[in-house]
Every structure is written in C-alpha cells, then in structure tokens.
Amino acid sequence: MSQNAQAQRPAEPARAAQADPKRAKTAFSENMNLARAALAAALIVSLFVMGPAKLSGLRKDAQRAFRSGVSDKYVASVYNDIRTAADSADTLAGVCGLTLGTEDEGVKTLSSIAAELRETDDEETMLRRFKALKSETERVYTAFTDKETDANRIDQAKRCYYNITSAYTTVGNDSYFALADDYNRTISAFPANLMAGMRGLDKLPTDK
C-alpha cells in the first residue's frame, strides 16, 4: 500500500476520540449526570420508601412485644402482666374493703385504677396507671395489715400484694423497653425524624 493511501485511510475510533477531546469530555459529563441521577433516585427510595417501612417495622416489633411477648414457649408480656396485676388489685381492694370500709379513699382509688387498667388498651395509659397502682397498693395494704387480725383475710391480701409487686419486677425487666428505646432513639435522629413526622410515627412510652 502506498504512503498516500495510508494517509487517506479514516482514523480509528480511539484515535478519533483523542483527536476530539471536547467530544470525550461531553460523553464523560453525560455519564456522570446519569450516575448522579441514579444515586439521587436510590436515596429517595431509601429515605421515603424503605426508611418509613423500617421505622414502622421497629415500632410494630416493640408493640408486639408489649402485648404478646417475644417468646412462643412462654407468653410473658407487659400487657399480660399488667392485666394480671389489675385483677389482683381488684381482689385486694375487695378484701381490704371488708376491714377498712368500702368508702375508704385508698380502697376506692385502688379499685378505680384496677378497673381502668382492665378497660384500656393504650400502652401509655397502662404504664402510667400501673405506676400509680404501685404506690396505692402499698398504702392500702399497709393500712389493712395495721387493722386486720383475721388470718385468712391477711393471707388472701398477702397473695394479692405479692402478685402485684412481682408484676412490677417482671414488667421492669421486660424486653419491650429495650425495643421501645431503640425505636425512640432511631426516630430522634436525622433523617428518620423527618420520615417519622411525615408518617405520624410518635415515640413509644418507656416510663416504667
């Protein structure tokens, strides 16, 4: 092949790109824009689709632990323990009422708290009234034991008192509180706090 023919042959693609740096820069810029757009789309999906789903999942896990516990073998939960304590408090109010009188303020308050605990399903209300139940149980039981002399009544009241105080220990160590604390910490940080606000996901109660 003659030197003239070689000189007239079209340049190879790579050499053409080298010969036209503006075209190469344009192609690189377009690819970078596409990459940025893909990254932005992934972030939007993560923040506003997967993010809220994860927050809702954390909340449901904590609420499930509150009501049903975390073990299939032995169903221990805050909900069940509080309901059991409420039944014992109602029985204790009845026994103590025989000695202190049904119009005794402590007996009436104890009975009222027990009834409220049995009627509500709200986590915050249950924990708040359960906390009040403890101090009222102590007050009524102390007043009862100072006056009562009948051994059968004392024994019955003692069993109720033991059931209530034991529930406080069990509830205080329940796994619900660790799950609720983890959820509350998560929705307090950015950007989870924005997503939680958009979805109406508020904090869970943790006051034992």
Side-chain angles (χ1 to χ4, degrees):
M1 183 182 293
S2 66
Q3 293 182 351
N4 291 336
Q6 290 179 352
Q8 293 176 0
R9 188 172 57 186
E12 297 177 0
R15 293 179 181 177
Q18 292 176 0
D20 191 357
K22 179 181 284 189
R23 183 187 303 172
K25 288 181 179 180
T26 300
F28 179 77
S29 176
E30 290 175 351
N31 289 336
M32 285 299 295
N33 289 336
L34 288 174
R36 291 192 187 100
L39 179 60
L43 287 174
I44 291 173
V45 171
S46 176
L47 289 176
F48 297 104
V49 179
M50 297 177 62
K54 180 180 178 181
L55 294 180
S56 296
L58 290 174
R59 183 181 180 86
K60 288 178 181 178
D61 287 344
Q63 290 178 314
R64 189 180 303 112
F66 184 96
R67 298 182 182 282
S68 305
V70 295
S71 173
D72 295 332
K73 296 180 180 179
Y74 176 68
V75 182
S77 67
V78 175
Y79 184 88
N80 290 334
D81 288 335
I82 290 179
R83 285 298 179 89
T84 299
D87 291 339
S88 295
D90 191 53
T91 302
L92 180 63
V95 174
C96 293
L98 297 175
T99 302
L100 302 175
T102 56
E103 294 304 311
D104 178 82
E105 286 301 320
V107 170
K108 290 167 65 177
T109 302
L110 187 62
S111 180
S112 175
I113 294 174
E116 188 176 357
L117 286 173
R118 288 199 305 270
E119 292 170 1
T120 185
D121 278 332
D122 178 67
E123 295 97 343
E124 184 176 1
T125 302
M126 291 188 77
L127 289 175
R128 177 169 49 81
R129 300 307 288 156
F130 186 56
K131 191 174 182 179
L133 180 68
K134 183 178 182 180
S135 58
E136 204 59 46
T137 296
E138 293 288 350
R139 187 161 75 91
V140 172
Y141 183 71
T142 299
F144 167 80
T145 54
D146 287 343
K147 289 186 176 182
E148 185 57 68
T149 58
D150 183 85
N152 290 330
R153 286 186 185 177
I154 292 174
D155 185 60
Q156 188 176 6
K158 186 181 293 185
R159 286 197 300 270
C160 293
Y161 176 79
Y162 175 78
N163 290 339
I164 296 169
T165 54
S166 294
Y168 277 94
T169 301
T170 305
V171 167
N173 295 322
D174 195 272
S175 59
Y176 159 76
F177 295 98
L179 293 171
D181 283 337
D182 181 50
Y183 164 77
N184 289 342
R185 281 193 300 270
T186 300
I187 68 169
S188 296
F190 180 84
N193 55 351
L194 297 179
M195 292 182 287
M198 293 172 60
R199 293 298 181 94
L201 300 174
D202 54 353
K203 288 187 175 183
L204 290 171
T206 56
D207 191 16
K208 301 179 184 180

